[in-house]
Amino acid sequence: MRKNILVILAASLAFFVSAAPVRSAILRVPETYKTIQSAVANAADNDLIIIGKGSYKENIVIKKPLQLRSAKGAEATVVTAANKAEPVFKIDGATNVLISGFTATGSDTAGISLNNATFCRIANNILTGNANGLMSYASNKNTISENTASFNAQYGIYLETSNYNNVSYNAANSNGDKGILLSSSSANTVVGNDANLNAWNGIVLWASHGNQIKENKALRNTYAIVMGDSDDNEVSNNSTWPNLFVILPIILVYLGIVNYLVQKNIMKLMYKA
Amino acid sequence: MKLLISILQYVPVTLASIGLIIATSSFISGLQLIRGTSITIEGRIHRLNGYLSIILYVILAVLGFALSGISLWSVFGWFSGFFIILTKLWIVKKSRKKRRAFKYVSWFGASLTLMWLYMVYIHLPL
């Protein structure tokens, strides 16, 4: 009897141990690891890497599920490309990667590059001074949200053959070519983004089908939203030319005429007196 | 500091709006001057509004450089505008001696009004 109880207890213990969630380790840069890449190399799957404030000169390649977070936010954590020909951050064939709270700059490729990545989350980063802010190639079901991808030489956010991604509440302003470009990418959701002041187009869909383009702002670009060879896209509630741009100048010119008449009558009264 | 900058970003659009109002008044009074009706009053209105708009232009240029920094295009843009203003003033001075110069004045006046329209447009917050 006693033996049976012990067996049951041992079996229950084994069950609970196996069912308990795997606790991820926390790795710290620069306290424990001098570089972000060395922390990535030494991390196990699903570990959390916290990067302290400062400037880092690296090209980081991530090939396993990891979380990379900055301790003090994007403005205080700047990562510059050591090798300009490579992206600052590259997710290569990995799933469930988080990159949050970094400034990525100085790459002739991209600030953050997703290559065959799935279920990744890129959030709250500043991607500036690169050829492209964020580049996604053959990557599906990722979330790209609340990033600032501005002042890049070509595109702010560039999706190539990438499907089912969520691109939301990003700022892709003042880029040298386009704000957001979807090329051969389908079933993506592009919602609530700002794509203003880009040299060429705000948002472009090229050979992309079944995307949702909603509630974005595309102001003061050469062209606001451009679609070519693209079908079945839902484009709604985007702001491309707000009424204020038309109404305000008309009101001001009208006020100018009124101002002239008022001034004229005041002058007449003054000189009569 | 951030709050101050965010408030200051709305000041240029207000100044540009006042500038457009004044430039429109100046343009109408300038057209009346060419037609030659009540030259004294129209001339005073035109001069008052004209100089006020130049002051506003200079303030906007200084604010623009302070808030957005100095770049080649911004310097080129502001100096081009200033060149139009100075050319218009020069033609007005010339036209006192040569009546023929009047026909260019209205074109430059219209250019100045369009310039202020553009200034309102570029300063509208996004």
Side-chain angles (χ1 to χ4, degrees):
Chain A
M1 182 66 186
R2 203 174 156 192
K3 199 178 173 185
N4 283 345
I5 291 169
L6 277 172
V7 168
I8 291 165
L9 274 173
S12 311
L13 190 68
F15 173 78
F16 282 116
V17 167
S18 65
V22 180
R23 283 199 177 230
S24 59
I26 298 174
L27 289 76
R28 292 184 187 274
V29 179
E31 291 89 344
T32 319
Y33 296 95
K34 285 266 181 273
T35 63
I36 303 169
Q37 186 60 58
S38 62
V40 169
N42 285 290
D45 285 6
N46 302 308
D47 278 357
L48 168 64
I49 301 172
I50 296 177
I51 292 99
K53 73 170 184 179
S55 296
Y56 303 85
K57 198 160 190 176
E58 299 185 49
N59 298 94
I60 298 131
V61 182
I62 304 160
K63 295 187 174 186
K64 53 191 163 189
L66 286 176
Q67 294 182 55
L68 274 76
R69 284 178 194 273
S70 70
K72 298 284 178 187
E75 283 176 9
T77 318
V78 181
V79 188
T80 310
N83 178 4
K84 278 175 177 270
E86 291 294 323
V88 181
F89 289 91
K90 183 178 183 181
I91 302 173
D92 194 8
T95 57
N96 293 309
V97 175
L98 167 76
I99 298 177
S100 175
F102 297 94
T103 296
T105 186
S107 169
D108 289 343
T109 314
I112 296 178
S113 168
L114 279 72
N115 190 21
N116 287 303
T118 45
F119 296 110
C120 296
R121 184 171 152 75
I122 313 296
N124 302 306
N125 299 289
I126 298 171
L127 314 167
T128 187
N130 304 289
N132 301 292
L134 185 142
M135 206 163 82
S136 168
Y137 178 75
S139 297
N140 306 321
K141 297 174 184 171
N142 300 292
T143 301
I144 298 155
S145 66
E146 293 172 67
N147 300 287
T148 301
S150 302
F151 297 101
N152 296 289
Q154 280 184 292
Y155 313 133
I157 296 172
Y158 173 27
L159 271 62
E160 178 73 43
T161 52
S162 297
N163 309 317
Y164 303 102
N165 296 290
N166 181 3
V167 181
S168 54
Y169 305 104
N170 300 285
N173 301 326
S174 306
N175 293 292
D177 197 329
K178 299 169 179 67
I180 299 172
L181 169 62
L182 274 65
S183 172
S184 303
S185 299
S186 298
N188 297 288
T189 307
V190 181
V191 176
N193 300 285
D194 281 0
N196 306 321
L197 297 162
N198 296 291
W200 201 234
N201 312 121
I203 300 171
V204 178
L205 271 69
W206 184 256
S208 300
H209 315 290
N211 298 288
Q212 283 191 333
I213 313 294
K214 291 198 295 190
E215 293 154 25
N216 300 287
K217 263 205 274 184
L219 306 171
R220 283 193 221 161
N221 305 287
T222 306
Y223 298 101
I225 299 175
V226 179
M227 289 192 281
D229 285 343
S230 302
D231 302 312
D232 303 322
N233 295 292
E234 184 189 338
V235 182
S236 59
N237 296 327
N238 298 291
S239 179
T240 54
W241 185 257
N243 294 336
L244 184 69
F245 279 50
V246 182
I247 295 166
L248 185 68
I250 293 170
I251 292 171
L252 293 175
V253 169
Y254 177 74
L255 285 175
I257 297 164
V258 172
N259 181 45
Y260 163 71
L261 293 171
V262 170
Q263 282 180 338
K264 193 174 179 179
N265 284 312
I266 290 170
M267 290 271 184
K268 268 185 186 170
L269 282 172
M270 277 170 64
Y271 284 98
K272 261 188 189 172
Chain B
M1 190 64 188
K2 274 187 179 174
L3 181 72
L4 183 69
I5 289 172
S6 66
I7 292 167
L8 275 176
Q9 279 169 346
Y10 288 94
V11 171
V13 74
T14 312
L15 291 179
S17 302
I18 296 167
L20 179 59
I21 293 169
I22 288 171
T24 309
S25 305
S26 182
F27 180 55
I28 298 167
S29 54
L31 288 177
Q32 297 295 328
L33 261 178
I34 293 171
R35 279 175 59 194
T37 53
S38 63
I39 286 169
T40 328
I41 288 174
E42 302 294 350
R44 280 173 201 276
I45 293 170
H46 189 64
R47 208 172 301 149
L48 171 74
N49 290 325
Y51 284 123
L52 275 175
S53 68
I54 292 172
I55 292 166
L56 279 174
Y57 186 86
V58 173
I59 293 170
L60 270 171
V62 172
L63 266 176
F65 289 133
L67 288 172
S68 310
I70 298 171
S71 68
L72 189 68
W73 280 112
S74 63
V75 171
F76 176 76
W78 286 111
F79 274 91
S80 300
F82 207 62
F83 174 75
I84 297 173
I85 293 169
L86 288 179
T87 312
K88 201 263 182 184
L89 283 174
W90 179 68
I91 292 173
V92 168
K93 299 269 180 213
K94 273 270 176 194
S95 65
R96 283 182 185 157
K97 289 176 186 168
K98 288 183 181 176
R99 189 78 185 161
R100 257 175 58 194
F102 256 169
K103 67 179 177 184
Y104 301 111
V105 170
S106 56
W107 282 105
F108 269 93
S111 304
L112 285 173
T113 312
L114 288 175
M115 188 182 85
W116 278 103
L117 259 173
Y118 179 68
M119 300 250 285
V120 170
Y121 170 71
I122 58 161
H123 284 104
L124 276 176
L126 296 174

